[in-house]
Amino acid sequence: MPGPTISSLTPPPIQPPASDGTATDRRVEKLLSRWWGFEHLRPLQAEAINAALDGRDSLVVMPTGGGKSLCYQLPPLVGDSTDVVISPLVALMKDQVDSLEAIGYPAAALHSGLSTEQRREIFDRLAAGELRLLFTAPERLVNTGLLDTLARVGVKRFAIDEAHCISHWGHDFRPEYRQMSLLRERFPMASLHAFTATATPRVRDDIIAQLHLRDPAVLLGTFDRPNLVYRVVPRTDRILQTLQILGRHASEASIVYCISRKETERLAARLAAEGILARPYHAGLSPEERRQTQDAFARETIDVVVATVAFGMGIDRSNVRLVLHTALPKSLEAYQQETGRAGRDGLAAECVLLYSSADVFSWESLVRKSAEGSELDPAEAEALIAGQIQHLHSMRRYAQAARCRHAALSEYFGQSFAAASCTACDICLGEADSLPDSTIIAQKIISCVARVGERFGVRHVCEVLRGAKTEGITRHNHDQLSTFGILTTFDQRATENLTHQLLDQGCLLRSGSDRPVVTLNDYSWEVLRGARVVLLREPRVEKTRTTKADADDWHGVDRELFEILRKWRRRVAEARGKPAWTIFDDKSLRGIAREKPRSPAALLRVKGIGEKRLADFGTAILDLVAGKKPAEDTGSGPV
Ligand code: ADP
């Protein structure tokens, strides 16, 4: 593609770094209200924006939903500069540009999917200084001569989104991110601003070193997401439990994670058969199929995506109300990131993990197989396996622990959690009841393991306990044992679940071979002697309580009007071919359905409504609030 000529490029005016305190603050607040319809910056946003305006490098670590985007979207408006954002995925860039265009903000994304004509247009706007933000991918930045062009237009600020991708120690390393060390060399006068949602201290140091950040402002947000309600439920019946949990979120956006591709398809088909608008998503589908599912989810024509972890980055739908893991994620980092997709709009959302210790064993054998099948030398492979197993066990401990989930997650990421009770997890809400006769049940299970000679797996032990007439039981004369048929209160699945709970608590052991058998240890004998008390959880789907956050978010909202507004938003999104949440997020819609504004001025007072949205949609919304049918959006509007 022929690039623009040097003479056609004039640097956009860049104002000197702002250090005039309150005047700049007022300017920033004005821009915030005018463009985004927000009243205040969040504290860390203010610091991040100040660093950008002062031209000081920064590393901003904020949880998903914390509002990172604004930290690089707002500064170029202050001095009418053109800033560059480096982002790992085309889908991420497109979503952001769509959201920005919806508020009239001049932004564009340079990626491989553009025609020559579209690219030329972007270069023209860049040359004319019209763009405030240009998004691009790291490989495009370094391999296409784009750096020369950016130098000519005088870019002074670069934001590196998802910056953990630069680190080997992160969970999502991308080699092409390493090339970004070039930025410092080529733009010694520019400031660099790295953003990420997950970074342990090691990853943070690595980002600073790799990007050669100079005396960066390191801004750490709190990792806790108070609007998320965490629950861990013993898995007894994946499909039944999924249906029950989804039942709490009818017509709401939900992501259901499974480990295997096959499971995503099976579960999605089952949900669809129940009338739920669900589709599967995994890396084995064609790019076209994946894109269609992503788009349908974005435009709210489907509610549920049943996915492997391939579904993730690039899903910016802000009103996801449920993230359900039907199997154990392989690390707390992954869990934090995947659950981070819930409730990005700050409204209450639920994260449920269906836990079975069987997953730990499946993961362990997968980890070993993949390391052994790799080209790593034996010592490296061992180190890799050890690292991954450590991650897995942190995840397992989290699932098993009977302590506040918010506290456990915060502490894992190196932050203390002050509140005595979070009122937003199964433990603090008192949902995790234990069986009244837990210790007796545990003794029955453990003695059965002893009676079968510590030579059988979970299923066989439980069949004996339940008094089943299987071929294996007859062959081994296990129907003659004193433990045959001594635990009939529970069905097979529930009994297996209880046994897994004992394994999780270390009251039984399981060999890690291909056909694992259950064995006893010192703790087992303590339980049998009555020297150790055991708490087992009811192996059923849990009861749930309404959380305070959820009740607050809906306080005063006319739900009927909210649904009307949602349907209208879906039609507008369809007509314009844009993700629904870029038109309006749920928070704004709930705000409208709560305040029921009757005039443009009242509408402007609703959070999330700035001048552009008022101009574009004010009439339609006021009509809807007044119970009138608004004119159909033809898609040719100004967005
Ligand atoms: P992140 O990139 O950190 O995951 P986003 O930038 O997508 O988070 O922001 C999350 C949500 O918070 C968005 O819906 C955004 O509009 C909203 N938001 C960001 N900053 C503010 C603010 N200062 N006031 C109100 N809402 C905000």
Side-chain angles (χ1 to χ4, degrees):
M1 182 212 65
T5 59
I6 297 178
S7 60
S8 72
L9 298 168
T10 44
I14 300 274
Q15 290 193 350
S19 52
D20 52 337
T22 50
T24 310
D25 291 348
R26 273 200 302 276
R27 175 104 209 263
V28 166
E29 299 245 310
K30 246 193 185 151
L31 289 166
L32 189 67
S33 143
R34 193 183 135 210
W35 291 78
W36 285 272
F38 296 152
E39 257 172 279
H40 304 292
L41 285 175
R42 296 172 180 159
L44 217 62
Q45 285 178 325
E47 290 180 52
I49 288 170
N50 281 337
L53 295 177
D54 289 344
R56 178 176 176 194
D57 287 354
S58 61
L59 167 62
V60 181
V61 188
M62 243 189 232
T64 311
K68 287 183 285 300
S69 337
L70 202 68
C71 304
Y72 54 75
Q73 291 170 351
L74 199 143
L77 293 177
V78 176
D80 284 339
S81 61
T82 301
D83 294 0
V84 172
V85 181
I86 292 125
S87 175
L89 285 184
V90 176
L92 275 178
M93 295 180 215
K94 279 189 183 161
D95 279 352
Q96 286 231 13
V97 173
D98 283 347
S99 302
L100 289 171
E101 282 179 347
I103 59 167
Y105 183 116
L110 267 182
H111 54 79
S112 51
L114 299 176
S115 66
T116 312
E117 193 45 46
Q118 288 169 318
R119 254 194 312 250
R120 183 180 296 281
E121 194 203 327
I122 292 177
F123 275 102
D124 287 348
R125 292 175 72 197
L126 187 61
E130 282 172 17
L131 290 177
R132 294 291 74 85
L133 275 186
L134 178 73
F135 290 79
T136 192
E139 59 277 17
R140 181 151 281 276
L141 185 71
V142 292
N143 298 335
T144 58
L146 180 60
L147 283 179
D148 296 335
T149 311
L150 298 179
R152 275 183 242 124
V153 298
V155 169
K156 292 276 194 299
R157 250 189 317 255
F158 290 87
I160 296 103
D161 208 4
E162 311 288 352
H164 58 275
C165 294
I166 205 168
S167 174
H168 267 312
W169 308 111
H171 54 282
D172 201 12
F173 174 57
R174 286 166 184 256
E176 64 275 16
Y177 256 65
R178 281 281 156 106
Q179 296 168 298
M180 253 155 358
S181 53
L182 263 180
L183 283 177
R184 178 92 300 157
E185 242 171 72
R186 294 291 312 272
F187 292 83
M189 304 305 285
S191 59
L192 305 181
H193 307 276
F195 294 88
T196 176
T198 44
T200 52
R202 195 180 209 179
V203 174
R204 267 180 241 151
D205 293 344
D206 208 17
I207 294 173
I208 293 173
Q210 296 289 336
L211 287 173
H212 306 290
L213 298 187
R214 286 185 298 234
D215 180 30
V218 178
L219 304 170
L220 297 179
T222 36
F223 283 94
D224 187 46
R225 301 273 316 274
N227 62 320
L228 300 189
V229 179
Y230 296 105
R231 295 190 161 102
V232 181
V233 182
R235 189 172 70 223
T236 48
D237 183 323
R238 198 190 305 260
I239 292 181
L240 198 69
Q241 288 176 301
T242 302
L243 282 168
Q244 282 179 344
I245 295 163
L246 281 172
R248 303 202 280 267
H249 298 275
S251 319
E252 292 183 339
S254 304
I255 304 175
V256 178
Y257 282 110
C258 301
I259 293 184
S260 79
R261 297 173 179 183
K262 227 195 255 152
E263 268 163 35
T264 64
E265 299 203 346
R266 224 175 340 185
L267 191 53
R270 180 65 205 278
L271 299 183
E274 300 284 338
I276 296 171
L277 300 171
R279 277 205 216 150
Y281 186 102
H282 56 75
L285 297 171
S286 70
E288 180 54 23
E289 280 171 301
R290 274 184 282 161
R291 198 189 52 73
Q292 278 176 2
T293 300
Q294 282 212 6
D295 283 356
F297 191 60
R299 288 186 203 153
E300 307 203 349
T301 52
I302 57 170
D303 296 323
V304 181
V305 176
V306 186
T308 60
V309 291
F311 187 69
M313 268 208 198
I315 306 310
D316 259 355
R317 186 166 169 176
S318 67
N319 59 351
V320 172
R321 299 267 79 85
L322 166 72
V323 170
L324 168 60
H325 283 83
T326 64
L328 195 75
K330 56 182 171 180
S331 66
L332 273 171
E333 281 84 350
Y335 188 62
Q336 165 91 356
Q337 197 174 48
E338 285 148 25
T339 51
R341 287 166 194 138
R344 292 182 62 147
D345 51 12
L347 300 173
E350 191 183 5
C351 304
V352 185
L353 166 61
L354 298 184
Y355 173 66
S356 161
S357 67
D359 295 340
V360 180
F361 298 105
S362 319
W363 273 123
E364 275 193 20
S365 80
L366 267 175
V367 163
R368 286 184 200 287
K369 271 191 202 131
S370 83
E372 281 155 16
S374 72
E375 285 167 7
L376 297 172
D377 72 44
E380 278 179 327
E382 263 319 303
L384 188 73
I385 293 173
Q388 296 199 351
I389 288 183
Q390 209 179 337
H391 276 306
L392 196 55
H393 285 281
S394 303
M395 187 66 232
R396 179 182 55 77
R397 275 195 295 278
Y398 165 83
Q400 283 173 228
R403 65 178 300 232
C404 173
R405 313 272 177 212
H406 284 266
L409 280 169
S410 295
E411 283 165 21
Y412 181 78
F413 290 104
Q415 297 186 334
S416 59
F417 186 79
S421 162
C422 68
T423 66
C425 77
D426 51 352
I427 305 292
C428 295
L429 289 166
E431 293 170 358
D433 291 345
S434 56
L435 290 169
D437 43 1
S438 293
T439 306
I440 295 173
I441 295 169
Q443 286 170 339
K444 289 182 179 179
I445 295 173
I446 294 171
S447 55
C448 191
V449 172
R451 298 276 170 212
V452 299
E454 303 179 53
R455 288 191 297 113
F456 292 84
V458 172
R459 186 192 302 166
H460 183 85
V461 169
C462 294
E463 284 169 349
V464 174
L465 283 162
R466 299 196 58 253
K469 297 259 181 285
T470 68
E471 189 271 325
I473 287 179
T474 319
R475 184 154 40 93
H476 295 287
N477 288 331
H478 284 169
D479 45 358
Q480 306 301 314
L481 297 175
S482 57
T483 50
F484 182 74
I486 58 162
L487 192 57
T488 50
T489 355
F490 302 99
D491 66 10
Q492 178 70 20
R493 263 176 206 278
T495 315
E496 288 183 19
N497 182 274
L498 293 168
T499 312
H500 280 296
Q501 290 190 46
L502 290 177
L503 283 162
D504 293 339
Q505 295 177 27
C507 298
L508 282 172
L509 285 179
R510 189 153 98 150
S511 66
S513 67
D514 273 355
R515 295 177 61 95
V517 299
V518 186
T519 58
L520 306 189
N521 61 10
D522 291 349
Y523 288 152
S524 321
W525 292 108
E526 285 179 20
V527 176
L528 284 178
R529 285 200 307 272
R532 193 181 176 88
V533 176
V534 178
L535 288 181
L536 291 170
R537 288 182 63 174
E538 182 90 43
R540 289 197 207 111
V541 177
E542 87 290 26
K543 336 180 236 331
T544 60
R545 303 185 178 168
T546 306
T547 64
K548 187 173 172 309
D550 204 21
D552 286 352
D553 291 345
W554 283 106
H555 184 73
V557 174
D558 178 334
R559 294 213 185 203
E560 213 173 304
L561 178 57
F562 175 72
E563 278 311 312
I564 292 171
L565 291 164
R566 245 164 65 105
K567 285 200 182 110
W568 165 80
R569 174 176 68 181
R570 194 177 307 156
R571 286 198 304 276
V572 175
E574 280 280 295
R576 292 169 185 238
K578 301 280 183 207
W581 73 90
T582 63
I583 309 290
F584 272 106
D585 63 13
D586 276 20
K587 214 180 216 167
S588 317
L589 291 194
R590 286 195 203 175
I592 297 166
R594 183 184 293 117
E595 311 292 332
K596 301 193 184 162
R598 296 283 173 172
S599 66
L603 187 54
L604 208 49
R605 283 196 294 275
V606 176
K607 253 195 181 168
I609 301 188
E611 288 173 13
K612 174 81 162 76
R613 284 204 167 98
L614 179 71
D616 288 350
F617 304 117
T619 315
I621 290 186
L622 291 173
D623 280 353
L624 286 164
V625 173
K628 289 190 259 172
K629 196 173 174 309
E632 270 314 304
D633 192 282
T634 58
S636 57
V639 171

